């Protein structure tokens, strides 16, 4: 493999007077490549052009002056310029900035900005079928269903028609050949509308009004909108969106998990009379193309999306909102490794526009930026209307343990019973999918492990499978122990949500139950359906993972039981306590949202821990202050900076040799500390052996500079890989 970083080849200037230009391709290459501009083509910075690369044609963007580092004979010509608005200057600066900060190839970042297949395919209409002459062929039962499906509407797109009629696409194409169906052109329906900022919003409370008035001013810079769940943060930032629309600019809202946004979309549509554009992985190719182009043209006024929406080519972005800004889902862990919240702040800064970060439990980083005056601060102190914050109690599992082989303590059982008796809903929260996190042999102690990863196999009893949650490996549960061959000796160890649901079923057989995890809530439609069932009280007991924690309104839910509050605290993650606080606080916020009082029971083996005490007392700020003190003392973020370097390869000895070599060349200087190489907690992942370095620097030392110097001469061989993670959030 080549060097990770571009080397500075001396320019080999050519005397010819050709016009040359640098074109960046959406590929993980070192930088822009030089191309010749043929006569008859005029290009400007940002123009989309088609250029040859090897034997292919690739779409690229005119990025800058030529580097003149290639002999003329080797240069190729631009093939065509795409007639389309150019990639805006801010987008280009942003891409360069992100690449530079994350130490990734600019082309890899550009790829995120162009992540749409056939971006420029002209399309005015879409193929659909209408009824032709049914008598021109035999009318079988399935063909009749097709004709029936078309009885109600003038035409339907092929996929939709096949689904409605329950036939395969080949039935349709055969009917079209025979003339029983006609191919017609359906006009394209835009996947978004034109939100109307003049529609009235709700009557805001004085505190909400004050916050909204501040945001409407639209000062450039970052504002933290801090308020408990249900305090009306969404209503308040809707006012900022309305103001942005009135100024004729585009607004972007980043949400951590797009699968959970159905309620958000409904609220937005109700407030503004039309749905926003959406950007996430579940869009169809057509929706992506239409949305992408509409963003570039400036027609899509509001976009809501997952982190990748940040890289869309906004023509005139006027506002960015990052909702639930503390969520780790904003960190992208593969490909270009970046933190979308932080990059949103950068994007806002480049464009000199406002950025709003909203959360009930802001990240420590953001709080620090408020305290040091870098971010503005707006606070909504109370829940809207009569809703009160729930009472939180700790259950000390050492004093009141659950019976053997069960996980619900006597106080929690009693609280569930009382809740069900009042015909209210209860939620049991455990952030662990499946039935049991570990299966072991009672005879010899053997533990079932993934063959590709250093991780236990998780039993999923409903599926009848053992699964690795890291690589997707699956196997049926073994009938006998693979180590000692004892029959029927394999036993589940520890609880997952399925097992807690089993216990709840035994205790409360008459209560209806629903398990909500990423396994049962597969995709936005399914998720929305399950959430609706809960909201409309079609189930009594919900057992769920963190998927349940995020901003939903369940008016009948009055009890939340946290089955294992200590779960996230083990391991060496510097944000473990902070994250536990955020997650459990958010889960607790599901209880008692309407006029019913809520109760939260938190089961823990160590109630004296500051995080548990803070949850109990609802004293966020004191807990944050303690956490911040610890981080300051340790020089950890936000008081110092971190970067991780992860080596991996198929051969553990080779990875170790490479690690030793890197360690020898590691920088030593004031304000810099290099820890490692150490085996990663996931020392084996997808068959690759992994070692980690952690670079820790003082706040005034940029880890990028240190890494560039350290790693610029390093070449990786064979299948060795070196990944860099600036501001790491995962230490696995
Ligand atoms: P947050 O985003 O802080 O969790 P929301 O904006 O979702 O809070 O508000 C919580 C609930 O209260 C929502 O159902 C919202 O519509 C309602 N709500 C908040 N403020 C008002 C208001 N001023 N008038 C009417 N309903 C409101
Ligand atoms: Zn695995």
């Amino acid at each position: 493999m080549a060097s990770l970083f571009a080397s500075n080849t001396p320019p080999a200037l050519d005397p010819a007077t050709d016009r040359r230009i640098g074109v960046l391709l959406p590929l993980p290459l070192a930088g822009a490549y030089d191309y010749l501009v043929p006569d008859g083509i005029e290009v400007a910075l940002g123009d989309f052009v088609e250029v040859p690369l090897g034997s292919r044609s690739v779409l690229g963007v005119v990025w800058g002056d030529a580097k003149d580092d290639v002999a003329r004979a080797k240069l190729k010509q631009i093939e065509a310029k795409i007639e389309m608005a150019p990639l805006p200057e801010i987008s280009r600066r942003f891409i360069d900035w992100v690449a530079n900060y994350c130490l990734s190839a600019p082309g890899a970042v550009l790829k995120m900005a162009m992540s749409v297949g056939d971006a420029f395919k002209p399309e005015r209409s879409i193929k659909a079928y209408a009824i032709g002459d049914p008598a021109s062929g035999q009318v079988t039962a399935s063909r009749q269903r097709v004709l029936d499906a078309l009885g109600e509407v003038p035409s339907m797109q092929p996929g939709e028609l096949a689904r409605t009629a329950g036939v395969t696409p080949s039935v349709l194409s055969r009917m079209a050949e025979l003339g029983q169906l006609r191919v017609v052109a359906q006009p394209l329906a835009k996947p978004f509308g034109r939100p109307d900022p003049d529609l009235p919003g709700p009557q805001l409370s004085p505190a909400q009004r004050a916050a909204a008035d501040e945001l409407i001013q639209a000062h450039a810079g970052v504002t933290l909108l801090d308020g408990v769940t249900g305090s009306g943060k969404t209503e308040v930032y809707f006012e900022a969106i309305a103001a942005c629309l009135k100024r004729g600019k585009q607004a972007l809202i980043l949400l951590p998990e797009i699968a959970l946004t159905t309620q958000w979309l409904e609220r937005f549509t109700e407030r503004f009379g039309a749905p926003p554009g959406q950007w996430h992985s579940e869009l169809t190719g057509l929706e992506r193309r239409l949305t992408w182009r509409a963003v570039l043209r400036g027609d899509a006024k509001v976009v809501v999306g997952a982190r990748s929406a940040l890289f869309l080519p906004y023509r005139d972005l006027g506002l960015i909102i990052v909702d639930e800004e503390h969520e780790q889902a904003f960190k992208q862990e593969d490909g270009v490794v970046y933190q979308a919240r932080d990059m949103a702040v950068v994007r806002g800064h480049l464009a000199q526009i406002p950025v709003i970060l909203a959360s009930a439990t802001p990240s420590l980083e953001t709080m620090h930026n408020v305290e040091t005056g870098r971010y503005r601060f707006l606070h909504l102190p109370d829940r809207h209307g009569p809703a009160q914050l729930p009472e939180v109690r700790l259950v000390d599992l050492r004093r009141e343990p659950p019976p053997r082989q069960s996980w619900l303590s006597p106080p929690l059982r009693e609280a569930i019973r009382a809740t069900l008796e009042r015909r209210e809903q209860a939620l049991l929260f455990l952030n662990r999918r499946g039935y049991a996190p570990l299966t072991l042999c009672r005879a010899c102690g053997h533990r079932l492990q993934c063959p590709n990863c250093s991780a236990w196999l998780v039993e999923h009893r409903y599926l009848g499978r053992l699964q690795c949650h890291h690589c997707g490996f699956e196997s049926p549960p073994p009938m006998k122990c693979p180590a000692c061959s004892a029959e029927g000796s394999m036993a589940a160890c520890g609880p997952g949500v399925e097992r807690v649901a089993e216990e709840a079923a035994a205790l409360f057989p008459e209560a209806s139950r629903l398990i909500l995890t990423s396994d049962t809530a597969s995709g936005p439609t399914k998720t929305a359906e399950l959430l609706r069932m809960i909201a409309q009280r079609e189930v009594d007991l919900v057992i769920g993972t963190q998927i349940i924690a995020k901003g939903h309104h369940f008016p009948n839910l009055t009890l939340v039981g946290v089955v294992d509050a200590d779960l996230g605290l083990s391991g060496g993650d510097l944000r473990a306590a902070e994250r536990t606080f955020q997650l459990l606080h958010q889960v607790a916020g599901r209880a008692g949202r309407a006029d019913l009082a809520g109760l939260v029971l938190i089961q823990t083996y160590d109630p004296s821990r500051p995080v548990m005490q803070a949850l109990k007392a609802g004293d966020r700020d004191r807990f944050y202050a303690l956490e911040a003190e610890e981080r300051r003392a340790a020089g950890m973020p936000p008081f110092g900076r971190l970067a991780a370097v992860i080596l991996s390869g198929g051969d553990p000895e080779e990875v170790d040799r490479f690690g030793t070599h890197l360690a020898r060349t590691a920088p030593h200087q004031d304000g810099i500390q290099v820890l490692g190489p150490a085996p990663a907690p996931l020392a084996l992942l997808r068959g690759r052996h992994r070692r980690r370095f952690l670079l820790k620097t003082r706040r005034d030392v940029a880890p990028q500079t240190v890494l560039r110097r350290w790693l610029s001469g390093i070449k990786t061989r064979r299948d060795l890989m070196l990944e860099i993670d600036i501001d790491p959030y995962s230490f696995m």
Side-chain angles (χ1 to χ4, degrees):
M1 214 177 108
S3 164
L4 279 161
F5 302 98
S7 56
N8 288 326
T9 322
L13 281 179
D14 199 285
T17 55
D18 305 295
R19 292 186 299 160
R20 300 172 177 206
I21 198 97
V23 175
L24 188 64
L25 306 177
L27 296 165
L29 307 168
Y33 283 3
D34 285 4
Y35 281 91
L36 292 169
V37 186
D39 290 340
I41 294 188
E42 289 304 323
V43 292
L45 290 178
D47 279 345
F48 290 94
V49 289
E50 228 165 39
V51 297
L53 181 76
S55 55
R56 312 184 275 154
S57 245
V58 191
L59 202 59
V61 177
V62 176
W63 211 254
D65 291 338
K67 288 202 288 264
D68 288 328
D69 54 357
V70 175
R72 188 199 186 279
K74 288 197 181 159
L75 280 184
K76 300 215 172 122
Q77 286 191 352
I78 287 175
E79 287 165 351
K81 174 180 151 182
I82 311 287
E83 286 314 321
M84 180 96 188
L87 187 65
E89 197 221 336
I90 291 203
S91 289
R92 285 179 278 128
R93 275 166 57 204
F94 182 50
I95 288 166
D96 278 334
W97 202 99
V98 172
N100 195 40
Y101 186 86
C102 300
L103 294 189
S104 58
V109 183
L110 175 65
K111 183 161 185 264
M112 299 196 293
M114 289 174 63
S115 62
V116 41
D118 300 327
F120 306 101
K121 201 169 106 188
E123 50 208 335
R124 300 216 158 64
S125 61
I126 191 164
K127 174 182 156 175
Y129 286 120
I131 297 184
D133 176 11
S136 61
Q138 201 190 347
V139 180
T140 61
S142 51
R143 288 180 188 174
Q144 186 59 52
R145 287 205 302 278
V146 173
L147 297 172
D148 289 347
L150 283 171
E152 316 271 291
V153 290
S155 66
M156 253 195 225
Q157 291 170 26
E160 192 192 355
L161 180 55
R163 264 197 312 280
T164 314
V167 301
T168 60
S170 61
V171 172
L172 303 182
S173 40
R174 183 69 191 131
M175 289 177 76
E177 271 167 43
L178 291 169
Q180 291 177 305
L181 292 181
R182 282 181 302 126
V183 175
V184 296
Q186 240 182 30
L188 286 178
K190 278 199 207 125
F192 55 89
R194 191 165 259 283
D196 179 357
D198 293 319
L199 289 177
Q203 184 73 38
L204 296 181
S205 71
Q208 291 173 338
R209 186 72 259 162
D213 285 344
E214 188 63 35
L215 293 177
I216 287 169
Q217 309 280 319
H219 299 295
V222 185
T223 305
L224 170 63
L225 180 57
D226 173 12
V228 292
T229 34
S231 58
K233 295 186 293 298
T234 312
E235 299 295 348
V236 167
Y237 73 62
F238 275 176
E239 297 301 305
I241 296 174
C244 171
L245 290 173
K246 284 183 191 161
R247 292 194 309 275
K249 291 179 179 278
Q250 292 168 294
L252 163 67
I253 303 93
L254 293 179
L255 301 178
E257 261 165 272
I258 203 72
L260 302 172
T261 55
T262 317
Q263 274 189 344
W264 193 97
L265 287 172
E266 281 168 9
R267 276 180 73 179
F268 182 91
T269 308
E270 200 167 304
R271 170 71 176 77
F272 292 101
Q278 294 182 55
W279 193 256
H280 53 81
S281 55
E282 304 225 356
L283 296 183
T284 66
L286 177 66
E287 286 167 335
R288 287 180 92 78
R289 288 197 294 277
L290 291 175
T291 306
W292 191 88
R293 288 195 299 231
V295 169
L296 180 62
R297 277 197 313 268
D299 289 349
K301 290 298 180 199
V302 180
V303 176
V304 59
R307 55 192 179 225
S308 56
L310 185 59
F311 291 91
L312 286 172
Y314 299 92
R315 184 195 164 104
D316 191 9
L317 191 59
L319 172 66
I320 306 176
I321 294 162
V322 184
D323 203 351
E324 309 288 1
E325 67 90 25
H326 61 279
E327 280 286 338
Q328 202 175 341
F330 285 119
K331 183 74 195 274
Q332 166 141 320
E333 296 287 0
D334 29 51
V336 179
V337 179
Y338 67 94
Q339 169 36 290
R341 175 203 57 219
D342 295 348
M343 296 306 112
V345 169
V346 171
R347 178 67 176 77
H349 182 74
L350 289 177
Q352 283 299 301
I353 58 172
V355 176
I356 302 172
L357 308 179
S359 175
T361 51
S363 62
L364 214 66
E365 279 79 0
T366 295
M367 287 307 265
H368 182 64
N369 282 325
V370 167
E371 271 149 31
T372 52
R374 276 192 285 267
Y375 293 178
R376 274 186 293 270
F377 181 70
L378 293 174
H379 189 226
L380 299 177
D382 306 307
R383 279 190 166 182
H384 177 74
Q388 291 303 313
L389 285 174
E391 180 193 349
V392 179
R393 288 186 211 149
L394 301 178
V395 177
D396 185 344
L397 290 177
R398 289 168 311 192
R399 288 177 37 213
E400 302 185 275
R404 254 181 68 76
Q405 288 296 299
S406 61
W407 286 272
L408 305 177
S409 64
L412 182 51
R413 290 174 176 204
E414 173 51 29
I416 299 171
R417 196 195 52 72
T419 306
L420 294 175
E421 217 168 72
R422 289 195 308 271
R423 320 245 358 110
E424 293 165 9
Q425 281 175 312
L427 162 69
L428 299 177
F429 173 79
L430 178 64
N431 205 11
R432 221 187 228 155
R433 295 157 53 203
Y435 185 82
L438 169 65
T439 305
L440 56 70
C441 172
R442 273 188 305 245
C444 75
H446 178 74
R447 297 162 171 222
L448 295 182
Q449 197 178 342
C450 174
N452 313 316
C453 306
S454 21
W456 309 127
L457 290 177
V458 178
E459 180 183 0
H460 286 252
R461 198 159 278 192
Y462 288 151
L463 297 172
R465 311 288 286 174
L466 293 162
Q467 271 185 7
C468 171
H469 286 176
H470 298 283
C471 73
F473 173 86
E474 278 201 357
S475 79
M479 306 306 282
K480 53 184 187 184
C481 174
C484 74
S485 300
E487 304 236 359
S489 69
M490 302 311 291
C493 200
V497 278
E498 290 179 10
R499 202 168 189 185
V500 170
E502 186 183 86
E503 184 179 339
L507 291 169
F508 308 102
E510 66 297 335
S512 56
R513 289 171 311 277
L514 184 149
I515 298 184
L516 193 77
T517 69
S518 55
D519 301 300
T520 60
S522 48
T525 321
K526 189 74 211 273
T527 310
E529 169 61 11
L530 296 180
L531 294 174
R532 188 199 56 76
M533 286 174 68
I534 304 172
Q536 301 189 349
R537 211 192 166 283
E538 289 171 25
V539 291
D540 303 316
L541 259 176
V542 183
I543 303 99
T545 57
Q546 46 89 23
I547 202 166
I548 192 87
K550 317 278 159 62
H552 305 293
H553 303 258
F554 303 125
N556 299 295
L557 187 80
T558 54
L559 174 68
V560 168
V562 176
V563 177
D564 182 355
D566 308 324
L567 190 60
L569 289 170
S570 53
D573 189 323
L574 84 108
R575 295 183 183 85
E578 177 192 342
R579 239 175 351 237
T580 295
F581 181 85
Q582 288 159 342
L583 182 59
L584 297 189
H585 179 87
Q586 201 156 28
V587 176
R590 300 309 106 205
R593 298 206 35 136
D595 41 4
L596 297 171
L599 174 64
V600 181
L601 292 186
I602 296 182
Q603 300 196 139
T604 170
Y605 280 99
D606 194 354
S608 65
R609 278 188 141 122
V611 53
M612 300 303 160
Q613 290 299 322
L615 284 164
K616 178 178 172 208
D619 193 350
R620 182 190 84 185
D621 294 339
R622 191 163 159 266
F623 169 68
Y624 275 36
L626 280 174
E627 272 292 294
E629 241 356 276
E630 274 186 28
R631 299 240 197 121
R632 186 195 303 275
M636 284 294 185
F639 304 97
R641 298 178 191 274
L642 289 181
V645 177
I646 300 131
L647 326 176
S648 66
D651 175 5
E653 282 173 21
E654 180 138 18
V655 180
D656 278 332
R657 266 199 301 279
F658 187 43
T660 312
H661 171 65
L662 274 185
R664 261 201 303 272
T665 55
H668 293 282
Q669 107 191 32
D670 198 30
I672 297 181
Q673 205 183 347
V674 177
L675 310 167
L682 264 169
L684 184 67
L685 178 64
R686 297 186 194 95
R688 295 177 70 81
H689 297 269
R690 304 166 74 244
R691 306 287 182 268
R692 296 180 66 105
F693 285 95
L694 194 61
L695 168 67
K696 205 174 130 194
T697 70
R698 248 183 2 227
R699 220 191 135 83
D700 59 348
V701 179
Q704 289 87 349
T705 317
V706 179
L707 286 170
R708 271 199 197 90
R709 218 180 308 133
W710 179 18
L711 303 174
S712 62
I714 302 286
K715 299 215 194 310
T716 51
R717 274 167 303 145
R718 286 196 250 167
D719 77 335
L720 285 178
M721 236 167 75
L722 198 157
E723 291 160 278
I724 295 170
D725 182 355
I726 304 285
D727 307 330
Y729 278 70
S730 164
F731 297 86
M732 293 307 281

